Amino acid sequence: MRGDLTDEEWAIIGNLLPPERGRWSRPAQDNRLFLNGMLYVLRVGCPWRDMHERYGKWNSVYVRFRRWAEQGVWDALLETEGSKNPLVLKPAL
């Protein structure tokens, strides 16, 4: 879908995201789908509840977004990749 991460972009940042663990958590391979959902909400400016359903349940995506924010994943991602790979920070046109 337009605006979703390309395979090249995912290869750069996919391994930097934490795996999801626990009996009830979704498998880590959903990280790409969930990240695309997060980026969709941020890109179009819609409420989480209005996120397109192709990305999964809005609440699951939101919970992971908040968890990553609380764990400092976003800060670490920007510090690690932002300076060396401007591709990650490229705005969608």
Side-chain angles (χ1 to χ4, degrees), residues 1-6 9 32 36-37 40 43 54-55:
M1 165 113 202
R2 181 177 171 218
D4 285 354
L5 293 171
T6 65
E9 291 167 330
R32 184 175 184 172
N36 280 325
Y40 174 83
R43 185 173 56 254
R54 74 175 162 269
Y55 299 117

Side-chain angles (χ1 to χ4, degrees), residues 1-25:
M1 165 113 202
R2 181 177 171 218
D4 285 354
L5 293 171
T6 65
D7 291 339
E8 182 182 0
E9 291 167 330
W10 180 247
I12 293 170
I13 64 172
N15 291 329
L16 299 173
L17 300 175
E20 294 299 309
R21 295 187 189 109
R23 186 171 176 199
W24 300 107
S25 65

Side-chain angles (χ1 to χ4, degrees), residues 22-34:
R23 186 171 176 199
W24 300 107
S25 65
R26 296 185 60 116
Q29 66 259 26
D30 286 341
N31 274 345
R32 184 175 184 172
L33 181 68
F34 280 27

